Amino acid sequence: MNTFGKLIMGSAIATLAMASTALADTTLNALFMSQAAYSEDDIKSMTAKFEAANPGVTVDLEFVPYEALHDKIVAAAGAGDDGYDVVLFDVIWPAEFATRGFLTDVSDRIPADYTDQVFDGAWTTVEYGGKRYGMPWILDTKYLFYNAEMLEEAGISEPPKTWGELVAQAKQIKDKGIVEYPLVWSWSQSEAMICDFTTLTAANNGAFFEEGQPAFTVGGAKDAVTFMKASLDDGLTNPSSREYFEEDVRRVFSNGEAAFALNWTYMNALANDPAESKVAGKVKVAPAPGVAGKTAASSVNGSMGLGIPANSPHADEAWAYISFLTQKDIQEDYAKLSLPIWKASYDSPKVAEGQEDLIAAAKQSIAVMYPRPLVPSYTEVSDILQKNIHQVLLDQVGVEEGLQAAADRVKRIR
């Protein structure tokens, strides 16, 4: 039985009835991002398998940078039948998209037995108001990557378990002249920076909001920004981090110019690929550290889901495609750049082979994934935080001044 046949037989027939009926000759328009997680080649390969299993259905793929994904989905919402049939969306957007009626409620299409088989953190990617607006597909968080050879040269036997230990190890590596800037981050004025801020906030038991009011001017969130600024002032963080996105981080780390980097799952395979990296074979991965006395590890929920825009004229075929891409067997076949949403996959030898330390880190990190605010106004909140935190990192304002300015702006839109 082929993979698609297994999907149909292994799922609730009622909810996947659209997949078992004859699918008319249809062309689906699908929107994906062009960086991180599954590669374009991976998605093209999965799609070719779907098309082979479903004669008459073809999928036109469009890849855009993550930074353009949100606005493409919003713009297409007014395009009638000419919009998209399947879209990839970030964990931070369901509240906005559901409120504005952009995505189709697919709660009744999802087999009930999937709920316990998929990680809770993955489900939050597609849920809002008690409904599900898609299937989770990319289960991701940021991990701590380290150059084991640099640590050994500095006399360090174990990677840091706390952010305090990371600073101490970075100083040790810098003092020995092993690398000028031991740390590299994606701290451009972008969502990538907010993901790192969220990770550090979670480590410090901080919060974005408390009782509906901004809480990032004090406590763990303030500690997070203070940590970020101090690592720049101490010469431990590469100052170009303030211009970097995730791919820049991967290139700098893979070029042997940093001992530590925080990045998504996809970096593990590429940093250990000799064709892509000068430090292949020296790269290890661990959970993002915690804070002594507060947390054992830290993690941001960077997952993404696949949904059907409300204006798609091909909802049944679109759901068949989504069901195919998100099924366990397919995800396990492509588990190098993105890990599956299915709990059982993490005990699969096929998934673990050659990336045992990543799987070990994932088991710990997924359990503590911290969400960014799941509110309809998230995009505006994030833009405000990005601008003000970035000004702090550029030394244009102090930590307290920057965070208070952000809080004042956020209060006016909520």
Side-chain angles (χ1 to χ4, degrees):
M1 181 183 293
N2 63 28
T3 312
F4 193 56
K6 291 177 182 176
L7 167 69
I8 296 172
M9 296 301 293
S11 305
I13 297 299
T15 55
L16 292 180
M18 74 289 155
S20 61
T21 57
L23 298 175
D25 287 349
T26 302
T27 297
L28 298 176
N29 296 312
L31 179 67
F32 294 91
M33 67 176 178
S34 57
Q35 77 250 35
Y38 298 114
S39 66
E40 292 188 22
D41 286 344
D42 282 351
I43 296 171
K44 290 174 181 174
S45 175
M46 295 179 204
T47 300
K49 291 180 180 179
F50 169 77
E51 291 173 334
N54 295 273
V57 181
T58 58
V59 184
D60 283 348
L61 301 172
E62 181 178 346
F63 296 93
V64 299
Y66 170 84
E67 289 73 25
L69 194 58
H70 174 274
D71 290 352
K72 291 282 285 188
I73 296 171
V74 172
D81 291 354
D82 294 328
Y84 297 108
D85 301 294
V86 174
V87 294
L88 176 68
F89 61 89
D90 202 351
V91 64
I92 51 182
W93 300 334
E96 175 192 356
F97 289 172
T99 302
R100 299 175 72 177
F102 291 168
L103 288 177
T104 302
D105 175 5
V106 296
S107 303
D108 293 339
R109 292 181 182 265
I110 299 173
D113 62 345
Y114 279 17
T115 295
D116 291 337
Q117 297 178 41
V118 172
F119 285 102
D120 290 343
W123 284 124
T124 63
T125 307
V126 299
E127 293 176 336
Y128 181 71
K131 298 178 180 178
R132 289 174 173 166
Y133 291 88
M135 270 295 290
W137 187 44
I138 297 169
L139 178 60
D140 213 349
T141 188
K142 286 197 168 186
Y143 298 95
L144 180 69
F145 293 89
Y146 61 96
N147 184 317
E149 185 178 75
M150 287 186 182
L151 267 63
E152 182 179 1
E153 187 178 349
I156 299 167
S157 59
E158 296 287 340
K161 290 184 171 54
T162 68
W163 289 107
E165 290 179 5
L166 179 134
V167 167
Q169 292 187 7
K171 286 181 178 176
Q172 195 170 333
I173 290 168
K174 185 179 179 72
D175 290 346
K176 288 181 177 292
I178 297 170
V179 66
E180 182 175 7
Y181 298 114
L183 309 176
V184 62
W185 313 74
S186 49
W187 288 353
S188 58
Q189 186 178 323
S190 65
E191 190 63 31
M193 178 185 66
I194 296 301
C195 289
D196 289 359
F197 165 65
T198 303
T199 301
L200 291 162
T201 296
N204 286 283
N205 282 336
F208 281 81
F209 295 98
E210 290 181 353
E211 298 180 351
Q213 296 299 313
F216 47 75
T217 57
V218 296
K222 179 182 175 183
D223 292 343
V225 179
T226 300
F227 175 93
M228 295 163 74
K229 182 64 166 57
S231 77
L232 284 162
D233 293 345
D234 293 342
L236 301 178
T237 283
N238 187 325
S240 295
S241 295
R242 295 172 294 189
E243 302 169 6
Y244 285 165
F245 292 92
E246 292 93 335
E247 272 294 85
D248 302 305
V249 169
R250 180 177 74 85
R251 282 191 283 268
V252 168
F253 183 85
S254 296
N255 205 36
E257 298 172 9
F260 298 102
L262 204 65
N263 213 337
W264 305 107
T265 301
Y266 85 103
M267 185 166 123
N268 188 57
L270 297 180
N272 277 305
D273 180 354
E276 294 277 346
S277 171
K278 294 180 180 178
V279 297
K282 304 171 186 175
V283 180
K284 301 295 182 183
V285 58
V291 170
K294 294 183 177 177
T295 53
S298 53
S299 176
V300 59
N301 190 345
S303 304
M304 304 184 81
L306 293 170
I308 306 170
N311 56 333
S312 168
H314 307 299
D316 288 346
E317 292 87 348
W319 184 247
Y321 180 50
I322 290 172
S323 298
F324 185 87
L325 295 186
T326 57
Q327 66 181 284
K328 181 170 172 287
D329 288 352
I330 286 292
Q331 289 215 295
E332 291 184 353
D333 286 345
Y334 295 87
K336 295 303 180 186
L337 298 177
S338 184
L339 294 176
I341 60 173
W342 305 92
K343 296 175 184 175
S345 297
Y346 291 72
D347 293 321
S348 165
K350 180 173 70 173
V351 173
E353 184 178 4
Q355 52 183 7
E356 289 78 5
D357 56 344
L358 174 64
I359 298 302
K363 289 181 177 179
Q364 188 172 354
S365 297
I366 290 171
V368 297
M369 287 200 304
Y370 190 85
R372 286 161 282 170
L374 304 177
V375 295
S377 59
Y378 177 78
T379 301
E380 295 166 277
V381 171
S382 177
D383 285 347
I384 292 169
L385 282 169
Q386 289 173 32
K387 176 185 175 183
N388 287 279
I389 294 175
H390 201 243
Q391 287 179 341
V392 173
L393 300 183
L394 292 174
D395 209 21
Q396 295 174 345
V397 297
V399 173
E400 291 186 4
E401 181 183 358
L403 291 177
Q404 188 58 55
D408 292 343
R409 284 286 311 280
V410 168
K411 286 178 181 175
R412 290 200 289 270
I413 65 169
R414 282 176 55 80

